[in-house]
Amino acid sequence: DVKVTQSSRYLVKRTGEKVFLECVQDMDHENMFWYRQDPGLGLRLIYFSYDVKMKEKGDIPEGYSVSREKKERFSLILESASTNQTSMYLCASSSTSGTPSYEQYFGPGTRLTVT
Amino acid sequence: ILNVEQSPQSLHVQEGDSTNFTCSFPSSNFYALHWYRWETAKSPEALFVMTLNGDEKKKGRISATLNTKEGYSYLYIKGSQPEDSATYLCASHLNNDMRFGAGTRLTVKP
């Protein structure tokens, strides 16, 4: 079974702190994604990566950056956390090859609170 | 429809009731439609992936249909059980872009 793990389930940070959210997948997937989930809204894509050292902006990249130094690890960085970044953050991975087409496998999520 | 929309936003049913909810998506440049089930404190789990117009998928008491021409998919749960309580997400895969709906939150009361 594919396993996607995230470094923390719950995190509380202060405004202005630098925050690192780590995601690791064990299925050699090429693609990795970071989303945030807010009440009443769908999962919104922050950043994604199709390969090591490669990154692409999603729909809401402002205030975030990412790092993918190894294929299995994709990190989300909040350079200076703000209260409007309080949210549930989900990491996902998918394979470019095989079926079902581009099915994404998700981690359990990190609920981040910025005070 | 520019976005993926799900209805209703939330649903409360009694154990044993059958229920269904809707996912609407842009029908142009369609590639695949995904349904996920997301239980509290767990990872979203894939239920179905459908690609062809008229596709029907079934897993136990849960089934889904797909109409790519008019841009909608239905998810059905027959004889709901308390363990079916979860948020059901749909996502439309258009070209290389995956768009998620806001989900339908289902609560099944014993």
Side-chain angles (χ1 to χ4, degrees):
Chain A
D1 283 346
V2 176
K3 192 166 184 181
V4 181
T5 57
Q6 294 183 227
S7 50
S8 305
R9 294 299 302 274
Y10 300 95
L11 209 52
V12 179
K13 294 291 181 181
R14 293 189 181 275
T15 300
E17 280 193 81
K18 191 169 186 176
V19 182
F20 293 87
L21 302 182
E22 305 284 340
C23 175
V24 178
Q25 50 94 3
D26 65 359
M27 280 299 290
D28 203 36
H29 282 173
E30 298 87 356
N31 312 318
M32 296 189 75
F33 308 84
W34 274 107
Y35 295 92
R36 62 178 283 177
Q37 165 82 2
D38 299 291
L41 301 175
L43 292 178
R44 293 183 291 166
L45 183 63
I46 304 170
Y47 267 97
F48 60 98
S49 169
Y50 287 151
D51 202 352
V52 176
K53 294 193 185 294
M54 181 272 183
K55 58 187 179 186
E56 293 285 345
K57 293 180 180 179
D59 295 325
I60 50 166
E62 296 78 18
Y64 303 94
S65 62
V66 289
S67 172
R68 193 160 181 207
E69 295 297 317
K70 294 184 178 181
K71 191 175 186 179
E72 67 271 19
R73 188 180 296 270
F74 193 35
S75 303
L76 180 70
I77 303 155
L78 286 65
E79 296 289 343
S80 177
S82 63
T83 54
N84 62 12
Q85 292 178 309
T86 292
S87 187
M88 168 71 85
Y89 289 88
L90 281 167
C91 174
S93 71
S94 71
S95 175
T96 304
S97 59
T99 58
S101 305
Y102 293 99
E103 179 180 330
Q104 294 189 9
Y105 296 83
F106 286 88
T110 296
R111 185 164 293 282
L112 173 68
T113 303
V114 183
T115 61
Chain B
I1 301 172
L2 297 178
N3 294 315
V4 177
E5 298 176 358
Q6 292 186 246
S7 62
Q9 189 171 18
S10 65
L11 196 54
H12 294 252
V13 301
Q14 288 294 135
E15 182 176 356
D17 286 353
S18 292
T19 187
N20 64 85
F21 15 98
T22 306
C23 173
S24 301
F25 55 88
S27 54
S28 59
N29 298 317
F30 174 82
Y31 186 79
L33 192 284
H34 302 249
W35 279 101
Y36 290 87
R37 170 196 160 106
W38 189 8
E39 294 182 72
T40 302
K42 294 185 179 180
S43 308
E45 174 192 355
L47 283 174
F48 305 115
V49 178
M50 295 180 286
T51 56
L52 299 176
N53 185 45
D55 256 356
E56 291 189 29
K57 295 283 178 82
K58 187 174 181 182
K59 185 183 288 188
R61 293 178 291 99
I62 304 176
S63 60
T65 61
L66 178 67
N67 183 321
T68 60
K69 292 182 179 179
E70 295 182 40
Y72 64 83
S73 175
Y74 294 134
L75 188 79
Y76 302 91
I77 302 179
K78 186 178 178 181
S80 302
Q81 299 296 309
E83 58 265 30
D84 295 329
S85 296
T87 295
Y88 292 84
L89 294 171
C90 74
S92 177
H93 196 154
L94 312 169
N95 299 321
N96 289 322
D97 191 20
M98 184 93 94
R99 294 281 167 176
F100 283 85
T104 293
R105 172 75 190 156
L106 174 67
T107 304
V108 183
K109 301 175 186 176

